[in-house]
Amino acid sequence: MKAFILKKIANHISSKKFIKRAIRVDENVILLEIDKTKYFFDLTKGNSDIYIDIDYDIAKKFNAPFDIMLTKKFTKSKLIEVKVFERILTIKVETNLHFKKEINYIQFEFTGRYTNSIILNEQFIVLEALHHISSNVSSRSVEIGEKLLPIPPRELKEKEFEVDDIVKYSQEIFREKYNKRLENIKKSILNNIDKKITKLKKILNSLESEKELLEKSEIYKTYADLAMINLYKIKNKYDKFLKVEDFEGNEINIPIPRLRNINEIGNYYYNLAKKMKNKSKNIKIEKNNIIQKIDFLEKYKDGVINSENISDLNIYKSTKKTKIKEDNIESFYIDDFLVLVGKNEKGNIKLLKESKANDIWLHIKDKTGAHVIIKTNKKNVPEDVIFKSAKLALTFSDEIEGIVDYTQRRHLYIKEGAFVNYVTYKSIALNLSKKDIS
């Protein structure tokens, strides 16, 4: 944050009179809505700035002691004074608390590694801070109950340039940073998905075909038959091969396995033949299961690529919170609501079976797609959560536009497997190829 830009923004704020709202909207971003203007203070270390009247999605609801103090002391407060010292902006307010007027300050320090927001009383005693700094870390500590020391003056070396419109300038800076951050998050998520796809493809390619498994089954059966007939030829249990002629008179070498009782060699190969035959029956199911998982991840990638804002993109980010031990179900969090998506038929069936009556079910209408369940925990689900969950239902279908039906799980009648009937429901029309979605 350049000092001369900070002065221009301070002048812009100075013309205002009343702080309507003061909240944290992201880990290091604070919103002050002053009169009809929104100021976003980005306190990201090494990349701080202030943006004016931008669209910024609230990442989540913050309830730390700092956030409680911020709202209490500055929401609905009278703006008294705005000062700038080097890269420090101090705002003085008057708040009516319990019919008593109170003077407080909020100080925004754009100082590199110690970038911070500090709430102070009239005597400049620290009430709260976004980042607490102990005396062990810095000679200028930021601790509750201590008086905040001024920062020693220093020479600022920065090149100034002409800025005709500070609002437009701040918005351009925001858009540039936002797009860069958006692309970096996308890149990180896509890299993780590509690793999973590569791993699954490697497993898929390593699987033997049904034909190969049946051929192995026949070979092992032949080994078993010939070994039983020629068991007397095994003189030493440490021999590696049993040389015999097959039923066509061809000489073959049967590997002798390490067994406690060499007389079990026939059963050993009969069991292997049976195992290969059973495996050949299940290989199609196993391959299909992996193919469905790869298809799911490809759609996952499409969802990430098509995300136009960080709020939507954060849904696709894996966190410790979202990890569940279920191979056929993917979990997401939307505004603290757990949203489950079936990766394949097995996952869809399990979701229908284990979801509760008041959970919300979503699915693309009359098309093939994943079943989606919002775990309500008996809470009212906001429309925005339903809307974003409907986008997941469409993303994990074979369509880019369509109608997504949703209803409580109690209204579903399971016909067979993952096929359901329902009469009571609502619908949302979506088109993932357009920005405006109705």
Side-chain angles (χ1 to χ4, degrees):
M1 183 80 197
K2 293 186 179 294
F4 82 95
I5 294 294
L6 189 59
K7 286 178 183 178
K8 286 181 179 291
I9 292 174
N11 290 335
H12 197 274
I13 297 173
S14 296
S15 63
K16 313 297 179 184
K17 296 179 180 179
F18 185 74
I19 299 178
K20 293 169 65 178
R21 186 166 56 139
I23 59 168
R24 183 153 55 125
V25 295
D26 212 334
E27 294 295 339
N28 293 299
V29 181
I30 293 168
L31 163 63
L32 295 185
E33 189 174 350
I34 310 176
D35 291 349
K36 294 182 179 180
T37 306
K38 294 178 181 179
Y39 298 88
F40 293 84
F41 297 81
D42 185 348
L43 300 161
T44 304
K45 292 178 183 179
N47 198 23
S48 55
D49 251 306
I50 301 172
Y51 320 115
I52 305 171
D53 281 339
I54 57 164
D55 291 326
Y56 198 105
D57 294 311
I58 297 176
K60 66 177 184 179
K61 188 175 181 181
F62 294 89
N63 290 306
F66 171 82
D67 304 295
I68 296 167
M69 187 70 71
L70 175 67
T71 301
K72 180 181 177 182
K73 299 293 185 183
F74 297 94
T75 294
K76 295 182 179 179
S77 63
K78 183 181 177 182
L79 185 63
I80 304 296
E81 186 180 37
V82 182
K83 284 186 176 181
V84 173
F85 170 71
E86 294 183 357
R87 293 195 179 99
I88 297 173
L89 175 69
T90 307
I91 297 175
K92 180 181 180 181
V93 303
E94 180 184 272
T95 312
N96 283 316
L97 294 172
H98 307 295
F99 306 104
K100 180 183 175 183
K101 290 183 178 179
E102 186 177 287
I103 298 296
N104 292 295
Y105 297 87
I106 185 164
Q107 190 155 290
F108 297 98
E109 302 185 351
F110 302 91
T111 51
R113 63 183 292 198
Y114 295 117
T115 294
N116 208 349
S117 176
I118 307 164
I119 299 172
L120 308 144
N121 67 9
E122 195 170 4
Q123 290 74 42
F124 255 62
I125 302 298
V126 176
L127 300 178
E128 257 302 344
L130 186 61
H131 305 294
H132 294 187
I133 302 171
S134 70
S135 56
N136 296 330
V137 176
S138 171
S139 58
R140 182 176 176 267
S141 62
V142 180
E143 295 284 5
I144 295 173
E146 293 183 3
K147 186 164 185 173
L148 185 68
L149 299 176
I151 291 179
R154 61 194 181 108
E155 184 183 357
L156 295 177
K157 295 180 180 179
E158 60 182 33
K159 290 183 180 181
E160 295 189 15
F161 47 85
E162 193 68 32
V163 177
D164 296 325
D165 188 335
I166 191 63
V167 175
K168 187 177 179 181
Y169 170 81
S170 75
Q171 292 171 349
E172 289 173 351
I173 291 294
F174 169 74
R175 183 47 54 189
E176 183 181 329
K177 286 186 176 181
Y178 188 88
N179 287 338
K180 187 175 181 180
R181 184 182 169 198
L182 183 70
E183 289 308 312
N184 285 339
I185 296 172
K186 280 187 179 184
K187 186 177 179 181
S188 175
I189 298 172
L190 291 172
N191 282 341
N192 287 332
I193 297 171
D194 283 335
K195 287 178 183 177
K196 291 178 181 179
I197 290 174
T198 301
K199 186 177 179 181
L200 285 171
K201 284 183 175 178
K202 189 175 180 181
I203 294 170
L204 184 64
N205 292 332
S206 68
L207 295 177
E208 293 173 287
S209 69
E210 184 181 7
K211 183 182 177 182
E212 288 172 331
L213 290 169
L214 287 173
E215 286 175 352
K216 276 189 176 182
S217 178
E218 285 300 316
I219 290 171
Y220 290 142
K221 186 178 180 302
T222 300
Y223 282 178
D225 292 341
L226 292 173
M228 293 294 287
I229 295 169
N230 297 281
L231 189 61
Y232 69 93
K233 291 184 179 179
I234 303 175
K235 304 298 183 183
N236 189 336
K237 66 177 181 179
Y238 295 108
D239 288 344
K240 291 184 178 180
F241 296 97
L242 171 62
K243 292 182 179 181
V244 297
E245 287 186 355
D246 65 14
F247 299 111
E248 281 76 38
N250 301 312
E251 187 177 283
I252 61 170
N253 291 321
I254 300 175
I256 299 175
R258 290 290 180 90
L259 300 170
R260 287 185 179 181
N261 184 353
I262 198 62
N263 293 327
E264 292 295 319
I265 188 171
N267 288 335
Y268 171 82
Y269 278 114
Y270 282 134
N271 287 334
L272 276 182
K274 186 178 178 181
K275 186 178 178 181
M276 291 299 109
K277 191 171 184 179
N278 289 337
K279 196 173 180 181
S280 71
K281 293 177 182 177
N282 297 323
I283 198 70
K284 282 185 179 179
I285 299 171
E286 189 177 352
K287 284 186 176 182
N288 189 50
N289 188 37
I290 294 173
I291 290 168
Q292 286 180 346
K293 287 179 182 178
I294 292 171
D295 181 60
F296 181 89
L297 288 172
E298 292 291 355
K299 289 170 182 173
Y300 202 125
K301 284 179 68 174
D302 290 339
V304 172
I305 292 166
N306 293 329
S307 294
E308 294 171 345
N309 59 67
I310 291 173
S311 177
D312 284 352
L313 194 57
N314 283 337
I315 295 171
Y316 295 97
K317 286 176 69 177
S318 296
T319 64
K320 290 180 181 178
K321 192 176 180 182
T322 61
K323 288 181 180 177
I324 61 169
K325 294 180 180 179
E326 177 49 63
D327 196 36
N328 299 305
I329 295 172
E330 189 68 45
S331 56
F332 303 89
Y333 271 89
I334 302 175
D335 295 347
D336 290 330
F337 282 89
L338 175 60
V339 180
L340 303 173
V341 180
K343 293 182 181 180
N344 48 35
E345 188 179 9
K346 278 186 179 179
N348 289 333
I349 292 170
K350 186 161 188 175
L351 279 181
L352 291 170
K353 185 179 178 181
E354 297 185 358
S355 54
K356 296 183 178 179
N358 56 2
D359 290 338
I360 294 175
W361 168 89
L362 306 94
H363 194 279
I364 185 170
K365 191 180 192 72
D366 300 330
K367 302 283 185 180
T368 302
H371 289 255
V372 177
I373 292 288
I374 304 173
K375 302 297 291 181
T376 64
N377 295 321
K378 297 182 180 179
K379 295 178 183 176
N380 290 327
V381 181
E383 287 186 9
D384 187 54
V385 174
I386 294 174
F387 180 78
K388 289 179 178 178
S389 299
K391 286 179 73 174
L392 285 178
L394 183 57
T395 296
F396 293 109
S397 73
D398 295 321
E399 311 296 324
I400 59 170
E401 66 176 303
I403 294 172
V404 174
D405 291 340
Y406 67 95
T407 187
Q408 286 187 316
R409 169 63 182 86
R410 70 174 84 246
H411 298 307
L412 297 181
Y413 170 72
I414 300 174
K415 292 168 63 180
E416 183 183 355
F419 293 97
V420 297
N421 281 339
Y422 51 95
V423 177
T424 304
Y425 65 95
K426 293 181 180 179
S427 300
I428 300 174
L430 295 165
N431 189 333
L432 298 178
S433 64
K434 294 181 181 178
K435 290 184 179 180
D436 296 321
I437 303 175
S438 58

